[in-house]
Amino acid sequence: MADLVVGLAKTVVEGALTKAQSAIEEEAKLQQSVQHNLVFIAGEFEMMHSFLNVANEERVKNNVVRTWVRQVRDLAYDVEDCIEFVIHLDNKPRWWRCMLPLCLAASALPLDEAVTEIERLKVRVEDVSRRNSRYSLISDSGSKPIMQQQTAPNAAFGPMALDMLVEARDTAKKQQGLGDLTQLLTKEQADLGVISVWGTGSELGTTSIIRKAYQDPELCRKFECRGWVKLTHPFNPHEFLRSMVTQFYTNSCLQKGIVIDVKELKRIEVMATMEGGLIEAFMDKVNENRYLVVLENVSTIGDWDTIRTYLPDRMNGSWVIVSTQQCEIASLCIGRSYQVSELKQYSAQHSICVFLKESLQGDGDKSMESDRVVDNSNEISMGDEATHGTGFLPYYRIPTSKWKAACDWVENFHLVERKSEMNQLGNYIAKARLNGLQVLSVWGIAGVGKSALVRNMYYDRIHRNDSLFDRYGCVDVTHPFNLRDFSRSLLLDFHSQPVQAMGIKDPTQECHKILKDNRCLVVIDDLESMEEWDLIQAALVSRPSSSIIIVITTEASIAAHCADNEGVIFNVKGLEDKAALELFKKQVHKQKPSSPIKDSKDEELQELILKCGGLPKVIVAVAIFLAPKTVTWMNSASSMNLKFMQELESSPEFACLRPLFGWLHSYFRTCPDFLKPYHSIRRRRLVRRWIAEGYARDTDKMFAEERGEQFFCGLLDLSIIMQKPHSVTTAFSDRRMTLCQVNSFVREYIISRQMEENLVFELGGSCTLTSQRTGRHLIILESWDRDIIVFESIDFSRLRSLTVFGEWRSFFISDKMRLLRVLDLEDASGLKDEDLKQMMKLLCRLKYLSLRRCTEICRLPNSLGCLRQLETLDVRHTSIATMPTTITKLKKLQYLRASTTKPTEEQPIPDAAGCVKVPTGIERMTALLTIGVVNVDSARGRAILKEFRKLTQLRKLGVSGISKNNSKDFCVAISSHAHLESLSVRLKKDNQDCLYVTPDGYLPPQNLQSFKLYGLADKFPEWITQLDNLRKLVLEMTIVTKDTISGLRDLKVSILRLIAKQLPDGKLNFCVMLHGQQLRCYETVKVLEISCSSSLDVTFGSQALHNLELLKVSCCSGSGSVMKFSGLEKLSEYELKEVQIKGSHDDKLKKDVEEQLARHQKKPVLKME
């Protein structure tokens, strides 16, 4: 997550650094000693910030580094808090203190306290820096390189060994059923079997793996004669035979439970002195019995040839295991036709591999290939044995093993609820081929199913002989990355036989040639960095080419870097709840068709499945775990629900999820604290909180709110944030969703790490008394029993945000919360006006205050003006009708939203009675970006409108009560706003035409993107058509006429909402005619919403709304109303995805709409309420 990064506290350090540097410039507010200390602190944090910028994953895995980073983060928080206190809260002159009597001057001023605190912080900074030097954490220039292909290989680890190791790992990945050494030895076969065990780099682990198989009880029973010899040099045949005969006897006795006869052992010793005696005894045993012989430390082929003469093949299933550190010896002992596979990996260059005959793997003859169905125009016929001049396998044939793998996949693997994504991925490939693009990217969070999706498409094309491609290759990127190893793996997948057998000297060059000369489909999975792709692209990709490469990664930035353009970047997201339940049921049925779980509607089971967060990998793992259980499955599900994350991380049954947890650990170690959300929340609310906490800041190129939106989109793409079911979406694109929730699986993971991170903690249910509850963010859940003893035991000294769900209690505010920035009480109950006075007194550092839907609040106290740092104030849907005069003192307030009524579908913006009045002097609040909804239908309304003109930074404005008396002032006010992006206006009753005529020189705000106008009669102001940047338009009209439909036809809006009280004859026709011909109209509209209070008959012309994705129709005229639709089958033939109908309707309407949509090319979804 490099582009979302730096949670290692980089974000916090950056904030502290910015604060320190700005504080240094405030000379009048600081003592000279404080300036000196801040210069020192700023310098230290600048160095720490530089380290965090380059700290890579390998460093973060180091526990010492992680501890140090956590200390840096906490220190940065404290420095930022202290500096902010000094700069912003004590700017009063200090001279008067000298005039006070000593008895009154005894208590320290806030600034004096801060000076002392900064001295302490300086000491802490020095300690942290010394700690770094002591443990050599950042002694070099930054992160160590991730690529290791430039380093010289170990001298004892030559090119042939590297080739073998890469091939072994590739084989192990493709043939998951290889198993361990014991499984190989238990396979039934007739001829003498030979297995070579090769330990790359050292002997570590080799002996223990062989020993485990050698002592296996089943193998002991199977082989009458067992012997293990470690060869000496020079090789001594006599000693070898003596040891073998002795072991054959002793092992046989032990297996049969017979006491070893000492006389027999003496007889063997005597036999060893007789010429030919040992040979005869040994040959008798191996000729008459099945034997298992282990030869350790074989170092020359001469020794092997000598021993092999003593080991006859009696076609009885005997085995010989050769242990060696030389890959050449290992392969030669097997013979010409061998296959190598990895048994166990200890490090990047140390593994235990086995060599054995190919036939033992059960794959059949690798040289056999299936004929490829080709075009008649193809120069190479099916029987052509041309080799393209290379001497290698012909490139127009698909290996049998790959064909079988494709057939097996298609037959046994079925994606659930991914049909849409499969179609989209196919369209991306077609788009790439059509536009001459070569590289596509597929990305998403770990476990979301992106690899399964791509491989499903990959095998499907092999299975159906897709004429677009004649070669297929799929390769997993190993780490650390090595280009030559990568090329070998890809070449092996192209040919399905060892690179050495084909005599290829330069695998990279050969891969380049194949991709250039053929129409290849190549899948590159698990790419982790841009540097890896740069190496692959430079060496293998040639342009132009008919080959298509699909890169799979977990990072958006890597996906964008690899893809040829942004149009071929595909983001895979998690399954929705319904699809997740369906996948679980199908997987249970696949594991055990008779299982009662698949038909269960148990709420606890469904809760468990939803905790999987729509991640197919987790859902399948849980299904496999529960499916075999019959009687105990409910207990298992209940137990797992209580300890969900603990079970998944620690139980061996879920070992398959370790890569997912590896990604989560990595992501949450490196993502900023503010990208660790933890509950359902509105998008705007989340972004404003990030701004208040200093995580999203203004830059030279971007406003803080824009950065917050950018961060939100990053979480959305990763499926960490998802749209809340049944929430209202203002646009069809879910990036603009109004209500979102954290992915259930991610939420469970975050909660499980609360103590470790020391950032977020919750109070819920019945909590026990403990001293461990501390952190920066506190959430009080509705389920908490409001235990004052538990609450007062918590350390609030570093608390930055408090969020309350459910009932409010007055003791929730404490004088210990001196650093609190965010107080979020949205939807809290029981909050009184007296509680607000206490808040204003104790929480003077607040930057974010939300009282939204706290309906018992009637007024804001005058002490609101003391919250000098306040940036966001949300009092919508409360009983507050008037803002206090002291609000004008809030010079940093950016976001002010207020209203006394809750919006409804019929009245989205309140009338004058539901809006709030603001005092004059609002012009002094120059930081305001958003304000609404303001009632200007009052004696001072015109004065307020004139003051709005001076608020030049406004982005969003909502007003109510515009009339003929103040419309001119309103037009002049908005005409001067170059930054205004969103405007909501409600006209006063009986003043529907007041905006038809504008004053001379009026120019509509050219940057306006969203315009909502309520209270019109039967036409709209013509100047709306001059809004070139308009993307969303909402019009509430008494009557929507044909002229209105015609007049709006050329607007370039994406979202259009029409609210009508009545329609002429109840009809609404989206069909604009000219000279008897239909005109193309509403070409850019993607979302169309129609609300009507009367009967509704809607007709869509064939030339209208060609890009519509969502149609929403609402009719609330009562039971006698009639709804009818015509032309739905031809509406936006290639884009329409969903139709929503709300209101009174009968089965006849439903049937009619369903029939029309059934004839639609895209088969859009129908939802009716």
Side-chain angles (χ1 to χ4, degrees):
M1 303 301 100
D3 54 344
L4 296 178
V5 169
V6 204
L8 311 173
K10 174 187 164 186
T11 307
V12 193
V13 170
E14 186 178 2
L17 176 59
T18 303
K19 285 277 195 304
Q21 290 173 337
S22 63
I24 294 168
E25 300 170 4
E26 302 281 347
E27 296 183 15
K29 299 178 183 177
L30 295 172
Q31 296 178 352
Q32 187 173 0
S33 62
V34 175
Q35 278 188 284
H36 174 77
N37 289 341
L38 286 180
V39 169
F40 173 79
I41 290 172
E44 288 294 303
F45 272 125
E46 194 165 9
M47 292 301 297
M48 295 176 191
H49 184 256
S50 298
F51 164 67
L52 296 175
N53 265 323
V54 297
N56 68 7
E57 183 180 339
E58 292 301 318
R59 285 183 169 275
V60 181
K61 287 179 180 177
N62 184 311
N63 285 327
V64 179
V65 174
R66 287 211 304 274
T67 301
W68 183 80
V69 164
R70 197 155 40 237
Q71 292 172 353
V72 169
R73 182 193 65 195
D74 292 339
L75 179 57
Y77 272 126
D78 293 341
V79 168
E80 184 181 5
D81 288 333
C82 183
I83 294 173
E84 186 172 89
F85 180 71
V86 173
I87 296 300
H88 300 302
L89 294 185
D90 193 0
N91 52 12
K92 298 177 181 178
R94 292 158 45 94
W95 59 268
W96 56 267
R97 186 182 179 202
C98 301
M99 308 297 292
L100 294 176
L102 290 177
C103 61
L104 297 179
S107 60
L109 286 175
L111 185 57
D112 298 316
E113 294 178 4
V115 169
T116 304
E117 179 63 20
I118 286 179
E119 287 285 354
R120 288 197 292 264
L121 288 171
K122 179 188 175 185
V123 173
R124 284 179 60 193
V125 170
E126 290 174 331
D127 286 343
V128 168
S129 297
R130 282 195 296 268
R131 204 166 293 131
N132 160 58
S133 302
R134 190 182 310 147
Y135 296 106
S136 302
L137 301 178
I138 54 174
S139 57
D140 59 17
S141 60
S143 61
K144 61 186 179 184
I146 43 176
M147 252 66 62
Q148 302 201 358
Q149 68 276 9
Q150 309 302 335
T151 61
N154 190 308
F157 207 68
M160 181 178 181
L162 281 172
D163 288 347
M164 291 290 189
L165 181 56
V166 171
E167 187 177 325
R169 288 177 176 170
D170 285 337
T171 304
K173 288 178 183 177
K174 293 175 183 178
Q175 298 177 351
Q176 299 292 335
L178 175 63
D180 59 14
L181 196 57
T182 304
Q183 289 175 279
L184 289 173
L185 294 173
T186 54
K187 287 186 177 180
E188 291 298 332
Q189 61 166 13
D191 55 350
L192 175 65
V194 180
I195 294 178
S196 292
V197 181
W198 170 45
T200 67
S202 74
E203 294 181 350
L204 176 65
T206 306
T207 303
S208 60
I209 286 177
I210 300 175
R211 193 72 179 173
K212 179 182 177 182
Y214 183 77
Q215 294 182 331
D216 183 80
E218 183 180 347
L219 293 181
C220 290
R221 290 191 297 270
K222 180 178 179 180
F223 297 100
E224 294 87 349
C225 296
R226 291 184 304 116
W228 182 311
V229 174
K230 184 171 184 178
L231 302 189
T232 58
H233 304 285
F235 174 62
N236 186 332
H238 185 82
E239 184 60 29
F240 167 76
L241 293 173
R242 186 196 64 77
S243 177
M244 281 285 107
V245 172
T246 302
Q247 289 185 65
F248 285 167
Y249 169 69
T250 56
N251 286 333
S252 177
C253 291
L254 291 173
Q255 179 60 32
K256 296 175 181 178
I258 301 173
V259 178
I260 297 175
D261 189 349
V262 178
K263 293 182 180 179
E264 179 64 19
L265 293 178
K266 289 182 178 179
R267 191 182 71 81
I268 294 174
E269 291 297 327
V270 172
M271 192 186 308
T273 63
M274 299 170 55
E275 186 175 351
L278 275 178
I279 296 177
E280 291 180 7
F282 177 79
M283 297 305 295
D284 286 343
K285 289 290 184 182
V286 296
N287 281 326
E288 297 174 3
N289 300 285
R290 183 184 297 175
Y291 59 86
L292 172 62
V293 172
V294 177
L295 304 176
E296 188 180 354
N297 198 29
V298 177
S299 58
T300 69
I301 196 63
D303 290 348
W304 166 248
D305 288 341
T306 301
I307 296 172
R308 183 64 182 83
T309 60
Y310 294 109
L311 302 173
D313 184 1
R314 296 303 181 190
M315 305 298 289
N316 60 359
S318 295
W319 281 94
V320 179
I321 301 175
V322 176
S323 173
T324 180
Q325 289 189 59
Q326 300 179 39
C327 64
E328 186 176 14
I329 298 296
S331 61
L332 290 174
C333 290
I334 303 301
R336 191 168 189 177
S337 178
Y338 67 84
Q339 187 159 358
V340 59
S341 182
E342 185 181 52
L343 276 183
K344 188 175 182 64
Q345 180 177 347
Y346 291 96
S347 68
Q349 288 194 343
H350 179 45
S351 295
I352 306 300
C353 304
V354 292
F355 289 73
L356 63 163
K357 287 184 179 180
E358 280 189 340
S359 58
L360 295 178
Q361 291 282 13
D363 286 337
D365 188 356
K366 293 277 184 180
S367 63
M368 293 178 61
E369 296 182 319
S370 61
D371 287 337
R372 176 72 167 88
V373 179
V374 295
D375 256 25
N376 288 335
S377 59
N378 196 313
E379 293 182 355
I380 306 171
S381 66
M382 289 185 291
D384 193 349
E385 296 299 326
T387 60
H388 291 242
T390 65
F392 306 132
L393 294 174
Y395 295 150
Y396 65 97
R397 301 162 76 87
I398 299 176
T400 301
S401 57
K402 186 169 292 185
W403 174 262
K404 288 181 178 179
C407 293
D408 182 65
W409 181 284
V410 171
E411 181 179 347
N412 298 308
F413 190 89
H414 303 286
L415 291 177
V416 177
E417 299 292 335
R418 290 291 198 189
K419 185 176 180 180
S420 174
E421 287 90 339
M422 279 294 294
N423 291 336
Q424 289 181 57
L425 189 57
N427 291 339
Y428 274 48
I429 293 175
K431 183 192 298 183
R433 178 56 62 86
L434 184 65
N435 296 312
L437 305 177
Q438 193 172 346
V439 184
L440 291 72
S441 294
V442 176
W443 76 282
I445 187 174
V448 80
K450 53 189 179 296
S451 295
L453 185 71
V454 174
R455 288 174 191 266
N456 195 68
M457 176 277 304
Y458 174 82
Y459 284 124
D460 177 68
R461 289 179 180 261
I462 294 175
H463 184 259
R464 58 186 172 89
N465 291 313
D466 190 347
S467 60
L468 282 177
F469 304 104
D470 52 30
R471 293 293 292 171
Y472 294 87
C474 184
V475 60
D476 293 320
V477 178
T478 57
H479 302 97
F481 179 76
N482 182 292
L483 180 61
R484 190 173 181 86
D485 293 348
F486 174 84
S487 302
R488 289 191 195 96
S489 298
L490 180 58
L491 201 57
L492 175 65
D493 199 71
F494 275 139
H495 292 305
S496 292
Q497 64 171 292
V499 175
Q500 296 82 0
M502 295 182 289
I504 296 174
K505 295 182 179 179
D506 188 344
T508 303
Q509 185 60 37
E510 184 63 21
C511 285
H512 179 274
K513 179 176 177 58
I514 293 175
L515 286 167
K516 180 181 179 182
D517 295 345
N518 298 271
R519 293 171 295 145
C520 303
L521 177 60
V522 174
V523 175
I524 300 175
D525 201 353
D526 198 23
L527 196 75
E528 289 189 354
S529 73
M530 298 180 191
E531 292 83 357
E532 291 174 357
W533 172 248
D534 290 341
L535 289 167
I536 293 172
Q537 180 174 235
L540 302 183
V541 181
S542 58
R543 300 176 190 274
S545 171
S546 297
S547 294
I548 296 290
I549 299 173
I550 301 177
V551 175
I552 306 175
T553 180
T554 56
E555 294 197 32
S557 59
I558 296 176
H561 181 75
C562 298
D564 284 346
N565 68 38
E566 61 180 13
V568 286
I569 302 174
F570 186 62
N571 177 215
V572 181
K573 297 183 179 180
L575 298 173
E576 294 184 359
D577 292 350
K578 183 179 178 181
L581 292 168
E582 184 65 22
L583 173 60
F584 176 82
K585 291 178 180 179
K586 289 191 174 181
Q587 187 63 38
V588 168
H589 179 77
K590 180 179 179 181
Q591 295 296 125
K592 189 174 183 179
S594 61
S595 173
I597 305 176
K598 67 179 188 299
D599 300 319
S600 173
K601 296 183 179 180
D602 181 70
E603 291 184 3
E604 198 161 23
L605 177 63
Q606 294 192 20
E607 181 185 347
L608 176 62
I609 299 166
L610 296 182
K611 279 185 179 180
C612 298
L615 300 180
K617 194 166 189 174
V618 183
I619 297 168
V620 169
V622 172
I624 293 173
F625 173 71
L626 291 177
K629 306 180 186 300
T630 53
V631 180
T632 62
W633 74 265
M634 292 188 71
N635 291 334
S636 299
S638 179
S639 174
M640 193 173 180
N641 232 340
L642 292 173
K643 300 178 180 180
F644 181 70
M645 201 54 60
Q646 181 182 339
E647 285 281 340
L648 295 187
E649 287 193 81
S650 59
S651 296
E653 290 88 347
F654 298 105
C656 61
L657 298 181
R658 285 173 188 164
L660 169 58
F661 281 110
W663 182 89
L664 283 170
H665 297 334
S666 173
Y667 171 72
F668 282 101
R669 277 198 302 264
T670 56
C671 89
D673 302 333
F674 67 93
L675 292 182
K676 298 177 181 179
Y678 36 82
H679 55 268
S680 299
I681 194 169
R682 288 190 338 277
R683 174 182 56 84
R684 183 74 65 182
R685 179 183 177 189
L686 185 61
V687 170
R688 291 306 308 177
R689 287 185 55 144
W690 286 344
I691 294 171
E693 292 171 21
Y695 296 129
R697 300 183 177 88
D698 289 331
T699 65
D700 294 338
K701 299 180 180 179
M702 193 178 295
F703 293 110
E705 193 153 332
E706 292 174 326
R707 290 196 73 189
E709 293 285 357
Q710 188 180 69
F711 296 144
F712 181 89
C713 290
L715 293 176
L716 187 65
D717 288 335
L718 283 169
S719 295
I720 289 178
I721 281 181
M722 302 185 297
Q723 183 169 357
K724 191 172 177 64
H726 312 302
S727 65
V728 178
T729 305
T730 56
F732 196 72
S733 169
D734 52 6
R735 288 175 177 270
R736 301 297 299 177
M737 66 179 69
T738 57
L739 192 62
C740 62
Q741 65 183 13
V742 177
N743 180 293
S744 301
F745 183 80
V746 176
R747 172 181 160 77
E748 292 294 322
Y749 178 83
I750 292 172
I751 291 173
S752 71
R753 258 88 188 145
Q754 288 177 2
M755 198 69 71
E756 175 187 334
E757 292 292 336
N758 202 27
L759 284 172
V760 181
F761 62 110
E762 289 183 348
L763 293 176
S766 297
C767 300
T768 56
L769 196 64
T770 174
S771 60
Q772 295 300 311
R773 292 192 184 93
T774 182
R776 304 282 176 180
H777 311 282
L778 169 62
I779 304 168
I780 297 178
L781 301 177
E782 189 173 4
S783 62
W784 185 48
D785 59 8
R786 271 55 180 170
D787 189 333
I788 189 172
I789 296 176
V790 170
F791 191 81
E792 290 181 346
S793 70
I794 299 173
D795 178 11
F796 296 120
S797 61
R798 294 182 175 181
L799 193 68
R800 283 196 169 198
S801 76
L802 172 61
T803 306
V804 178
F805 296 98
E807 184 185 2
W808 167 265
R809 295 290 182 86
S810 58
F811 65 79
F812 288 172
I813 294 299
S814 167
D815 57 1
K816 299 175 184 177
M817 298 177 179
R818 58 191 299 267
L819 301 180
L820 197 70
R821 295 184 179 195
V822 172
L823 182 58
D824 193 342
L825 307 180
E826 185 169 320
D827 290 311
S829 61
L831 193 66
K832 307 293 184 183
D833 291 346
E834 292 74 21
D835 296 314
L836 293 185
K837 294 179 181 179
Q838 186 73 356
M839 292 176 195
M840 307 305 160
K841 179 181 177 181
L842 298 178
L843 308 178
C844 55
R845 284 186 163 192
L846 280 182
K847 293 189 174 186
Y848 177 103
L849 175 61
S850 176
L851 306 173
R852 187 169 178 164
R853 285 191 289 273
C854 296
T855 55
E856 297 175 57
I857 297 293
C858 299
R859 62 184 299 272
L860 292 170
N862 286 327
S863 53
L864 176 70
C866 297
L867 303 183
R868 302 296 178 89
Q869 308 306 309
L870 198 64
E871 296 174 351
T872 298
L873 177 61
D874 189 345
V875 292
R876 277 175 289 186
H877 323 320
T878 65
S879 300
I880 300 170
T882 304
M883 291 289 115
T885 56
T886 53
I887 196 173
T888 58
K889 294 181 179 181
L890 306 181
K891 303 296 178 59
K892 294 187 177 182
L893 194 66
Q894 299 177 353
Y895 187 88
L896 173 59
R897 301 302 303 271
S899 67
T900 58
T901 58
K902 187 176 180 179
T904 63
E905 194 160 344
E906 293 75 30
Q907 192 176 45
I909 184 172
D911 56 19
C915 299
V916 297
K917 297 178 181 179
V918 297
T920 54
I922 204 85
E923 63 184 359
R924 295 194 292 271
M925 302 170 66
T926 55
L928 272 175
L929 302 176
T930 297
I931 183 171
V933 178
V934 178
N935 180 9
V936 295
D937 183 28
S938 63
R940 56 188 178 194
R942 294 184 64 184
I944 297 297
L945 287 172
K946 289 178 181 178
E947 291 192 33
F948 282 160
R949 186 177 183 182
K950 297 180 181 179
L951 300 178
T952 57
Q953 296 302 307
L954 274 182
R955 266 72 174 167
K956 190 169 187 175
L957 173 64
V959 295
S960 184
I962 299 297
S963 63
K964 294 176 181 177
N965 292 331
N966 58 26
S967 61
K968 180 178 179 181
D969 298 299
F970 170 74
C971 290
V972 172
I974 64 171
S975 180
S976 60
H977 281 285
H979 301 297
L980 194 64
E981 297 176 352
S982 177
L983 179 62
S984 299
V985 180
R986 175 165 286 282
L987 305 179
K988 186 179 179 180
K989 191 176 182 181
D990 300 325
N991 285 264
Q992 297 95 327
D993 59 349
C994 65
L995 292 181
Y996 293 165
V997 179
T998 57
D1000 294 338
Y1002 168 73
L1003 292 174
Q1006 290 303 304
N1007 199 41
L1008 201 64
Q1009 298 175 29
S1010 174
F1011 185 29
K1012 304 172 185 177
L1013 182 55
Y1014 304 92
L1016 293 170
D1018 58 353
K1019 62 180 181 178
F1020 59 89
E1022 291 186 3
W1023 52 266
I1024 290 179
T1025 59
Q1026 300 174 32
L1027 300 172
D1028 295 333
N1029 291 309
L1030 198 63
R1031 295 296 174 263
K1032 179 178 182 178
L1033 177 63
V1034 178
L1035 296 178
E1036 182 198 65
M1037 309 178 73
T1038 304
I1039 302 176
V1040 177
T1041 65
K1042 182 186 294 185
D1043 290 339
T1044 299
I1045 298 299
S1046 178
L1048 297 173
R1049 69 179 186 270
D1050 293 325
L1051 282 179
K1052 303 301 181 184
V1053 296
S1054 299
I1055 303 170
L1056 176 62
R1057 185 178 186 193
L1058 299 176
I1059 306 168
K1061 293 184 178 178
Q1062 64 183 67
L1063 299 168
D1065 301 323
K1067 294 184 178 181
L1068 186 60
N1069 194 344
F1070 284 89
C1071 179
V1072 180
M1073 305 293 293
L1074 182 64
H1075 306 308
Q1077 298 291 323
Q1078 288 192 33
L1079 297 180
R1080 292 177 69 93
C1081 56
Y1082 299 98
E1083 292 189 74
T1084 61
V1085 175
K1086 293 187 176 182
V1087 179
L1088 174 63
E1089 300 182 46
I1090 304 170
S1091 295
C1092 185
S1093 301
S1094 64
S1095 295
L1096 182 62
D1097 184 352
V1098 187
T1099 301
F1100 297 100
S1102 60
Q1103 297 300 310
L1105 299 157
H1106 277 190
N1107 289 291
L1108 190 69
E1109 296 180 16
L1110 172 65
L1111 172 64
K1112 298 175 69 175
V1113 181
S1114 175
C1115 185
C1116 48
S1117 60
S1119 59
S1121 63
V1122 177
M1123 274 196 285
K1124 185 179 179 182
F1125 298 91
S1126 302
L1128 287 175
E1129 67 273 12
K1130 292 187 178 180
L1131 180 62
S1132 185
E1133 293 183 7
Y1134 300 102
E1135 301 294 338
L1136 188 63
K1137 298 174 183 176
E1138 189 172 311
V1139 175
Q1140 299 178 11
I1141 300 176
K1142 183 179 180 181
S1144 57
H1145 53 77
D1146 53 21
D1147 292 338
K1148 181 180 178 182
L1149 173 66
K1150 182 179 180 181
K1151 182 179 179 181
D1152 179 51
V1153 173
E1154 285 177 340
E1155 288 177 353
Q1156 291 185 57
L1157 295 181
R1159 296 193 296 271
H1160 195 283
Q1161 184 167 327
K1162 292 288 287 185
K1163 303 294 185 293
V1165 176
L1166 173 63
K1167 294 182 179 179
M1168 302 187 75
E1169 296 182 32

